[in-house]
Amino acid sequence: MHKSRLGGLIIDCETDDLVGAARFWSDALGLALDRQPDDDNYVRLRTAPDDLPLEVQQVGHQSRVHLDIETDDIEAEVARLEALGAKRLKAVRDWVVMEAPTGQRFCVVVPQRASFDDDANVWD
């Protein structure tokens, strides 16, 4: 048995100016910037504690938006999603990049919010 739920939204930006891209989204959405201290490729936008995390990510591919699914068991969740038709594309540090049958990319990540245990779906 494991748990999972929607973990966050990531705005992928193919840019050399991550801070400029993050400022655009900050101004567009009315959310303050909150620089991620552990990774130069991300800028977090401040959302309310119960809202989904929202990050701007510098990428080397075409700009797009992707979502994260947070889980307490990465391999079990990846297997569940593969059974639904998703494809595992690659492992990156402690998460897995996947592709839905309809082509959208998404990531399976460790829990991101404190309310995970209370709000996540439980799977057999």
Side-chain angles (χ1 to χ4, degrees), residues 90-121:
K90 67 179 177 176
V92 180
R93 290 187 280 196
D94 62 349
W95 69 87
V96 175
V97 179
M98 299 192 74
E99 185 176 87
T102 49
Q104 293 88 358
R105 301 272 173 104
F106 62 96
C107 296
V108 178
V109 303
V110 297
Q112 304 293 303
R113 293 177 284 157
S115 62
F116 177 82
D117 283 330
D118 297 330
D119 297 338
N121 297 301

Side-chain angles (χ1 to χ4, degrees), residues 23-81:
R23 278 193 194 114
F24 168 81
W25 288 107
S26 170
D27 291 344
L29 299 172
L31 299 170
L33 297 178
D34 185 16
R35 185 84 178 162
Q36 293 276 56
D38 59 338
D39 196 324
D40 291 336
N41 292 326
Y42 295 88
V43 174
R44 183 173 288 220
L45 301 180
R46 287 191 198 141
T47 57
D50 290 340
D51 285 349
L52 286 173
L54 181 60
E55 297 175 327
V56 179
Q57 176 183 12
Q58 185 175 21
V59 296
H61 56 70
Q62 187 175 9
S63 295
R64 59 182 173 230
V65 176
H66 80 264
L67 59 85
D68 284 351
I69 295 174
E70 60 183 347
T71 182
D72 58 358
D73 188 332
I74 299 272
E75 286 307 314
E77 182 65 2
V78 167
R80 185 183 78 79
L81 295 164

